[in-house]
Every structure is written in structure tokens, then in C-alpha cells.
Amino acid sequence: MGVDIYGYAEVLHAGCWEFIGQMLSNPEYGYDCGEPEMMPEELFHSGRRELAAILTDSGNPIRSTRPYTPVAPRRGLPSDLSAELAGWLQRNEGAPWFVPTWFTVREVLEFGWEERIMQRRAMVPAQAGALFANCPRGFPLVDWPVGVPVKYAEWTRDGVVVEWLESYAEIASEFVRDVLPRLDELGPRDQVRLIVVASW
């Protein structure tokens, strides 16, 4: 089962939360008149199930020996959403496939991405199985056998079960490298928040 994760930023200004971003034409509007004509541009989009587990505490555990610790307990949508996000997101509240939450930039930056270590578990091609002896720190990509596809999955017919250790920063490397610095530039950490929704 796949997931789509969307993140939107808001900043607190004069006591009200304001959406940071542009409003774009909704491509679905031309096919469904029940759709809003405009949609908010997301700060980020990802299909990584591990990131969904960390940000929204959904789909847990995923390719790991235990559930991921979420950034914050799942909170749903805030009651004081900006008008742009309220119009776009609140229409999906209560749908079983819609998992929303939010947290401040301070919470997400001080989460401990580098310090939190997860014991990963997955299946890899049998030819690479020996690389995971004694549960190594980090995915052993540099020693991967030549000619063997680099892949891992929860289940694969020709695979073997292996375990390795990775930090949350390594697991969610694109989010940590690309999104967190952008969030930190938007304003005071307690006055900027990230609205995250996962659609399963």
C-alpha cells in the first residue's frame, strides 16, 4: 500500500495563522465541479512510508523491528487553520484514508533526527545477505555485490530477511536535508508550524 504525504507551512501573524505559499489552479476542478478551483501549493510531497510513520504515526511499523517514534502525537487538523488550508483540507476530515497532524518548527527541528536510531528489518537479494551479518550500522551500499540490484522490501520471493541500524536522519534523508532548513528560514520556530497530511 502506497502513501502520499503533503506538508504545508503556516506562520503566526497578529494572532492568526497565515498560509505560506501560493494558491494554484486545481487540475481536478475541470473534471469534478465539487473540487475547489484553487489549491495550496505544498511545501513538500513524499511517497516514503517511513516518513509517514515518523511525521503522522501511521503505517507503523514499516521495515523496522518496532514502531517509529513520531515527531509529536497525532493531533489532527488544528481548529485555527488558515483559510486556504481549511478550504482544501477540512473537506477530507474523517475519511479513513486521510491522516492529518501538525507541529511547530521547533518541535520538528529539535526532534533528534541524528540521535534516534532505528533497527531496520527487510528482505534483500540473497546475494547481499552476508553484508548484514551482525546488524551493521548503516545500509551497506558501498559493498553491494556488482550486478545485484540494490533493493529492499518487506517481502520478496527470492530475498532473505536482514537487519541493520539507521538514524532517523538517514531514513528520512531528503526531508532532513531539503525541508528542515527551508522551515527554519520562515520565522521564529514557535511561530511557524507544519501541517502534514498522509493519504493512504
Side-chain angles (χ1 to χ4, degrees):
M1 177 171 50
V3 66
D4 280 306
I5 313 159
Y6 296 93
Y8 307 90
E10 293 182 316
V11 63
L12 188 62
H13 180 72
C16 295
W17 289 98
E18 297 179 356
F19 170 60
I20 301 174
Q22 303 179 65
M23 293 300 289
L24 308 173
S25 296
N26 179 4
E28 298 299 317
Y29 178 73
Y31 306 102
D32 182 351
C33 61
E35 283 281 320
E37 186 174 356
M38 303 297 286
M39 60 185 279
E41 180 182 28
E42 68 269 6
L43 179 73
F44 76 91
H45 170 248
S46 175
R48 293 288 313 269
R49 293 190 294 160
E50 290 91 343
L51 184 60
I54 296 168
L55 296 181
T56 68
D57 195 19
S58 59
N60 244 333
I62 175 69
R63 291 185 284 261
S64 57
T65 58
R66 64 183 187 280
Y68 287 87
T69 300
V71 170
R74 193 183 311 161
R75 297 169 170 160
L77 292 175
S79 59
D80 56 353
L81 267 176
S82 58
E84 296 89 344
L85 293 184
W88 180 248
L89 299 174
Q90 286 178 341
R91 64 199 175 108
N92 297 317
E93 276 190 294
W97 49 265
F98 183 73
V99 184
T101 194
W102 65 271
F103 29 78
T104 65
V105 168
R106 179 176 304 283
E107 288 175 302
V108 74
L109 287 174
E110 297 179 359
F111 177 59
W113 295 89
E114 296 287 351
E115 296 80 21
R116 293 179 190 272
I117 303 295
M118 177 58 77
Q119 186 166 336
R120 309 292 307 278
R121 177 182 291 151
M123 296 186 82
V124 300
Q127 304 93 311
L131 297 177
F132 296 85
N134 302 316
C135 192
R137 175 68 173 87
F139 191 83
L141 184 60
V142 294
D143 297 320
W144 205 261
V146 175
V148 176
V150 178
K151 61 182 180 177
Y152 61 87
E154 288 181 271
W155 185 87
T156 178
R157 185 181 50 161
D158 300 322
V160 295
V161 176
V162 297
E163 294 183 357
W164 72 100
L165 301 175
E166 283 184 305
S167 70
Y168 280 39
E170 291 167 314
I171 295 166
S173 59
E174 291 176 4
F175 179 80
V176 171
R177 181 189 66 233
D178 301 334
V179 179
L180 293 186
R182 289 168 54 203
L183 283 170
D184 202 20
E185 296 172 353
L186 296 177
R189 292 180 174 183
D190 292 320
Q191 296 177 32
V192 179
R193 69 183 178 189
L194 185 62
I195 312 297
V196 178
V197 295
S199 300
W200 290 92

